[in-house]
Amino acid sequence: GDVSDLRVENAYAGWRSGNLFSSLGENFLDISFGRQQYKVGDGFLLYSYAGSGGDRGAYWIGGRRAAEYAGIVRMKTGGLNVDLVYLENDPISNDSTELGGATVNYTFNDNASIGGGLYTLDSDIDSRDGMNVFDIRGGVKPFAAANGPEALRPLRFDAEYVHEDRDDGFDAGNGWHITTSYQFEQVAWQPTLSYRYASFDENYDTLFYGFADWGSWYQGEIIGEYVLGNSNLDSHMVKLKVQPLEPVAVSLFYYNFTIHDAGDFGVKDDAYADELDLVIDWSVNDHLSLSLVGALAMPDDGATEHTGGDDDWSYVMLYGSINFCSCPARSPFDRPVEGVRPPPVGPGWSDGRFFVLHPCRPRCLRPYRSAGQVPDCGMPLQAQPAAATTTPATPLPAPVAELSDRSTTPC
């Protein structure tokens, strides 16, 4: 078909306050406006604002995420972050939606955070027009926060709840999830085991959710990609992730899908499908990453009634991404900046300098004279004093895989 639609993805300008409000911290105020993406949390509600596919092409990659226009005022002091945002989405259809509101997040420490948002919509879509959206989310490692038993400290809980209040004539919608995870830090390959339950009623509008990691928030490489969206759906997910080699991450998923309201969906049985996914991510080098994906979906009675068939669905894919930055943007193999130690100081480096873990690609270490500088990708740095020349390198901590986008974002 016709895939001739060509447009700019990101084109925006901004200003940061630097030390203008020094008592509130460096870059307390960050103002930007133009064509850009606005992310909240892990993409459960606000992540991607542009449609892909059709004459725009690249349906699965979903490389278009920027809003048609977004004005964002970010304020950060200590652990408190407050965003004021106004944006207009960029759908393939002519039914546009405008969103305005505020997002608040507070990080107590590395073990606990809480956040939320309040937004209002003006839309060409009747069911969205005048909608007020209330969002609350949080995450905690309770035993780590309470200095509890060492073996229980990796246990983590995350949750988010969204309520959508509509004008008269339309019922309110609700969507939520709760996730628990545990990393076996002392076991070979340091496996992480996660369980998530997610529920979206028949009136819930997915709005601008997106792909922040495998399984979030396209649930299942078959069912979540091609069959069902996050509305009128309940799901169980069990995920096991291991890191057999430093550049390789292997993730195994099991999903169980049920229809939240079978009558509203038009079927008698709410049992829809089970799905198994296997994802192998390989960071070949700083520019090339590959992902091998296999999936098998086994329909239940609800899916058989819905589709008219009872055959299993299978799927295999090899996905490659090439980044032309000298230090690529986030990939499935990024590590958190927390706790990283600098390498030995090489020839020409003097004591007192800082080695900074570049947040775009944590394996890419860059020297800076002081903390707080910002690299090309615009993310804050975390710096530590350089070690003495004779100090051996301290091994990096165990990797924690994160995927910010399916497609590679330039630094």
Side-chain angles (χ1 to χ4, degrees):
D2 179 18
V3 287
S4 60
D5 191 320
L6 179 65
R7 61 187 58 210
V8 174
E9 172 64 7
N10 292 292
Y12 61 93
W15 173 81
R16 291 175 178 154
S17 61
N19 291 314
L20 184 62
F21 307 101
S22 57
S23 62
L24 296 172
E26 186 175 11
N27 291 322
F28 159 73
L29 188 61
D30 183 327
I31 302 173
S32 59
F33 56 90
R35 188 176 178 89
Q36 58 182 315
Q37 183 184 13
Y38 179 63
K39 305 176 186 179
V40 173
D42 65 353
F44 185 80
L45 180 68
L46 301 180
Y47 190 91
S48 181
Y49 307 91
S52 297
D55 62 353
R56 299 183 181 185
Y59 166 76
W60 185 91
I61 294 175
R64 304 178 191 270
R65 293 172 296 276
E68 180 74 24
Y69 173 87
I72 307 169
V73 178
R74 295 181 172 92
M75 293 166 282
K76 174 177 171 56
T77 178
L80 178 65
N81 292 265
V82 179
D83 297 346
L84 303 178
V85 59
Y86 166 81
L87 59 85
E88 179 180 351
N89 73 333
D90 182 23
I92 294 179
S93 70
N94 294 322
D95 297 324
S96 63
T97 298
E98 299 174 19
L99 175 147
T103 304
V104 179
N105 192 79
Y106 189 83
T107 301
F108 297 93
N109 49 46
D110 295 334
N111 301 315
S113 65
I114 190 170
L118 173 62
Y119 315 98
T120 185
L121 275 60
D122 183 9
S123 178
D124 296 329
I125 302 172
D126 291 341
S127 61
R128 285 184 178 179
D129 193 36
M131 179 191 292
N132 293 312
V133 181
F134 306 88
D135 174 32
I136 185 169
R137 64 190 178 280
V140 63
K141 288 184 174 180
F143 294 100
N147 200 26
E150 191 74 27
L152 295 177
R153 292 185 186 182
L155 182 65
R156 180 178 179 86
F157 296 92
D158 293 278
E160 186 162 3
Y161 171 74
V162 174
H163 175 74
E164 300 171 338
D165 185 31
R166 292 179 168 87
D167 285 343
D168 293 341
F170 295 97
D171 293 331
N174 296 281
W176 61 277
H177 82 90
I178 184 167
T179 305
T180 182
S181 61
Y182 184 91
Q183 184 178 29
F184 297 85
E185 297 176 340
Q186 305 304 319
V187 177
W189 300 2
Q190 297 193 319
T192 299
L193 183 63
S194 306
Y195 166 77
R196 182 183 72 203
Y197 178 76
S199 178
F200 308 90
D201 69 23
E202 66 275 15
N203 300 307
Y204 183 76
D205 188 327
T206 58
L207 290 181
F208 308 118
Y209 77 108
F211 180 90
D213 194 357
W214 298 109
S216 301
W217 273 98
Y218 290 94
Q219 300 188 82
E221 287 302 299
I222 295 176
I223 300 299
E225 289 280 358
Y226 303 104
V227 185
L228 301 176
N230 293 339
S231 184
N232 200 8
L233 180 67
D234 298 329
S235 68
H236 299 269
M237 182 199 78
V238 179
K239 174 183 177 182
L240 177 64
K241 172 179 275 184
V242 295
Q243 197 94 18
L245 299 171
E246 195 277 336
V248 177
V250 180
S251 300
L252 178 65
F253 297 82
Y254 165 74
Y255 296 93
N256 173 262
F257 298 101
T258 58
I259 304 302
H260 187 83
D261 186 328
D264 186 83
F265 191 74
V267 297
K268 296 178 181 179
D269 196 314
D270 62 0
Y272 197 85
D274 298 283
E275 180 171 333
L276 292 171
D277 293 352
L278 176 65
V279 180
I280 302 174
D281 293 312
W282 176 28
S283 180
V284 181
N285 53 46
D286 281 343
H287 299 278
L288 174 64
S289 57
L290 300 173
S291 295
L292 177 64
V293 182
L296 175 67
M298 295 152 284
D300 291 321
D301 290 345
T304 299
E305 187 179 355
H306 177 221
T307 64
D310 59 359
D311 291 340
D312 292 346
W313 302 329
S314 58
Y315 169 99
V316 177
M317 176 196 69
L318 177 63
Y319 171 67
S321 176
I322 298 175
N323 193 297
F324 297 97
C325 289
S326 59
C327 187
R330 287 184 172 223
S331 80
F333 322 102
D334 278 1
R335 299 178 174 187
V337 294
E338 172 193 351
V340 172
R341 298 291 183 264
V345 178
W349 300 109
S350 62
D351 293 342
R353 275 191 159 190
F354 289 85
F355 273 92
V356 182
L357 184 67
H358 197 289
C360 286
R361 168 74 71 171
R363 289 204 310 276
C364 179
L365 297 172
R366 295 182 176 181
Y368 287 83
R369 290 188 178 276
S370 62
Q373 298 185 51
V374 177
D376 294 339
C377 65
M379 298 175 67
L381 298 176
Q382 176 170 324
Q384 299 183 10
T389 305
T390 57
T391 303
T394 303
L396 294 172
V400 177
E402 286 186 5
L403 235 172
S404 60
D405 294 311
R406 287 184 188 265
S407 60
T408 305
T409 304
C411 288

Coordinates of all heavy atoms in Angstrom, one line a residue, residues 1-5 51-60 64 92:
G1 N 0.8 -1.2 0.0 CA 0.0 0.0 0.0 C 0.8 1.2 0.0 O 2.1 1.2 -0.1
D2 N 0.2 2.4 0.1 CA 0.8 3.7 0.1 C 1.4 4.0 1.5 O 0.7 4.0 2.5 CB -0.2 4.8 -0.2 CG 0.4 6.1 -0.2 OD1 1.7 6.2 -0.3 OD2 -0.3 7.1 -0.2
V3 N 2.8 4.1 1.5 CA 3.4 4.5 2.8 C 4.2 5.8 2.6 O 5.4 5.9 2.9 CB 4.3 3.3 3.3 CG1 3.5 2.2 3.8 CG2 5.3 2.8 2.2
S4 N 3.6 6.8 2.0 CA 4.3 8.0 1.6 C 4.3 9.1 2.6 O 4.8 10.2 2.4 CB 3.7 8.5 0.3 OG 2.3 8.8 0.5
D5 N 3.6 8.9 3.7 CA 3.6 9.9 4.8 C 4.9 10.1 5.4 O 5.4 9.2 6.1 CB 2.5 9.5 5.8 CG 2.2 10.7 6.7 OD1 3.1 11.4 7.1 OD2 1.0 10.9 7.1
G51 N 0.1 7.8 15.7 CA -0.2 6.5 15.2 C 0.8 6.0 14.2 O 1.5 6.8 13.5
S52 N 1.0 4.7 14.1 CA 1.9 4.1 13.1 C 1.0 3.1 12.2 O 0.0 2.7 12.6 CB 3.1 3.4 13.7 OG 3.9 4.3 14.4
G53 N 1.6 2.7 11.1 CA 0.9 1.8 10.2 C 0.1 2.7 9.2 O 0.3 3.9 9.1
G54 N -0.6 2.0 8.3 CA -1.3 2.7 7.2 C -0.3 3.4 6.3 O 0.7 2.8 6.0
D55 N -0.6 4.6 5.9 CA 0.3 5.3 5.0 C 1.6 5.8 5.7 O 2.5 6.3 5.1 CB -0.3 6.5 4.3 CG -0.8 7.5 5.3 OD1 -0.7 7.3 6.5 OD2 -1.3 8.6 4.8
R56 N 1.7 5.6 7.1 CA 2.9 6.0 7.8 C 3.8 4.8 7.9 O 5.0 5.0 8.3 CB 2.5 6.5 9.2 CG 1.6 7.7 9.2 CD 1.3 8.2 10.6 NE 0.5 9.4 10.6 CZ 0.1 10.0 11.7 NH1 0.6 9.6 12.9 NH2 -0.6 11.1 11.6
G57 N 3.3 3.6 7.7 CA 4.2 2.4 7.7 C 4.7 2.1 9.2 O 4.2 2.7 10.1
A58 N 5.5 1.0 9.2 CA 6.2 0.6 10.5 C 5.2 0.4 11.6 O 5.4 0.9 12.7 CB 7.2 1.7 10.9
Y59 N 4.2 -0.4 11.3 CA 3.1 -0.6 12.4 C 3.7 -1.3 13.6 O 3.5 -0.8 14.7 CB 2.0 -1.5 11.8 CG 1.1 -2.1 12.9 CD1 0.1 -1.3 13.5 CD2 1.2 -3.4 13.3 CE1 -0.7 -1.8 14.5 CE2 0.4 -3.9 14.3 CZ -0.6 -3.1 14.9 OH -1.4 -3.5 15.9
W60 N 4.5 -2.4 13.5 CA 5.0 -3.1 14.7 C 6.0 -2.3 15.4 O 6.0 -2.2 16.6 CB 5.5 -4.4 14.3 CG 5.9 -5.2 15.5 CD1 5.1 -6.1 16.2 CD2 7.1 -5.2 16.2 NE1 5.8 -6.6 17.3 CE2 7.1 -6.1 17.3 CE3 8.4 -4.5 16.0 CZ2 8.1 -6.3 18.2 CZ3 9.4 -4.8 16.8 CH2 9.3 -5.6 17.9
R64 N 6.7 6.1 15.7 CA 6.2 7.5 15.9 C 5.5 7.5 17.3 O 4.5 6.8 17.5 CB 5.1 7.8 14.8 CG 5.7 7.6 13.4 CD 4.6 7.8 12.3 NE 5.0 7.5 11.0 CZ 5.6 8.3 10.1 NH1 5.8 9.6 10.5 NH2 5.9 7.9 8.9
I92 N -3.6 8.8 13.2 CA -3.7 8.6 11.7 C -5.0 9.2 11.3 O -5.1 9.8 10.2 CB -3.6 7.1 11.4 CG1 -2.2 6.6 11.7 CG2 -3.9 6.8 9.9 CD1 -2.0 5.1 11.4

